[in-house]
Amino acid sequence: MQHATEASMQAYYAERAREYEAVYAKPERQADLAAIKAWLPAQFAGRHVLEGATGTGYWTPDAAAQAAEWLATDINPETLAVAQAKTMPASVSVQLADAYTLDGVPHTFDAAFIGCWWSHSPLRRLPDWLVRLAARFDPLLRTAVGELGAERHTDARHAREVLGWVPRPAEQTIVDTARSLIERGLVRP
């Protein structure tokens, strides 16, 4: 399910695809951008890289320069069209894919690159997204992906009725936990 904020953000970038990179033209940013572009290629030398939220591919030609394989993905065909119009290293291919779900993206990578997307992503979405991304690299995490976003509703009624269990008040539980951690030297007061 796509959230309204993300849908409007997707539409915003689709509409601005051809003009978006003007943000990088500011003179005061040139030295920093040049330093980042010089630093990026070595970080991915010989690697098989998944780039999420590629956008217009501003970083892709430099970041992918030494990569063995680079898959640039984005949810917007408009921004990917701008990226595809650029001269890219031979290792680069592109695929339409949602960075949040990565549906249809293979599990054949040993590195990931996410450019400026972090600042555009709602914080509430990042934990699930990080697990999905990490699952691309760790098969054990793939089993957890199906649990993401699932709501669990539990109660202790059965334990109360069958066992006669009476839960302690939350405040008392927190205080007892803190005392235990202090007594064991795991935290200091």
Side-chain angles (χ1 to χ4, degrees):
M1 178 179 89
Q2 190 178 47
H3 300 277
T5 302
E6 288 133 24
S8 63
M9 188 169 61
Q10 180 181 343
Y12 171 81
Y13 284 106
E15 291 170 14
R16 294 192 62 225
R18 299 267 174 223
E19 66 186 62
Y20 185 73
E21 289 188 12
V23 71
Y24 297 113
K26 295 183 178 188
E28 66 272 17
R29 295 183 175 167
Q30 298 314 299
D32 289 339
L33 292 171
I36 294 168
K37 285 181 174 187
W39 175 80
L40 277 173
Q43 308 315 305
F44 301 107
R47 307 293 296 269
H48 300 267
V49 183
L50 167 61
E51 180 180 8
T54 301
T56 59
Y58 179 81
W59 297 105
T60 311
D62 297 296
Q66 298 175 25
E69 175 189 16
W70 190 282
L71 178 60
T73 66
D74 201 275
I75 196 167
N76 276 321
E78 296 86 354
T79 56
L80 277 181
V82 173
Q84 287 178 295
K86 294 181 173 156
T87 301
M88 295 283 182
S91 61
V92 176
S93 59
V94 300
Q95 179 179 332
L96 198 61
D98 183 345
Y100 287 116
T101 65
L102 300 171
D103 288 342
V105 175
H107 295 276
T108 58
F109 306 100
D110 59 17
F113 176 72
I114 311 297
C116 300
W117 185 64
W118 292 94
S119 63
H120 306 291
S121 186
L123 292 178
R124 65 179 155 56
R125 297 290 308 271
L126 291 179
D128 283 4
W129 173 76
L130 283 170
V131 171
R132 287 181 196 284
L133 180 64
R136 298 287 160 174
F137 306 96
D138 184 345
L140 292 175
L141 283 176
R142 291 181 196 148
T143 60
V145 170
E147 298 296 319
L148 297 176
E151 289 188 29
R152 305 268 187 251
H153 300 283
T154 60
D155 68 46
R157 185 172 4 113
H158 189 69
R160 287 185 184 118
E161 292 169 0
V162 174
L163 302 174
W165 176 69
V166 177
R168 297 186 305 167
E171 291 175 6
Q172 186 61 49
T173 302
I174 292 168
V175 169
D176 289 347
T177 300
R179 281 190 186 125
S180 177
L181 291 170
I182 292 167
E183 289 170 4
R184 288 173 173 74
L186 298 172
V187 295
R188 294 184 200 141

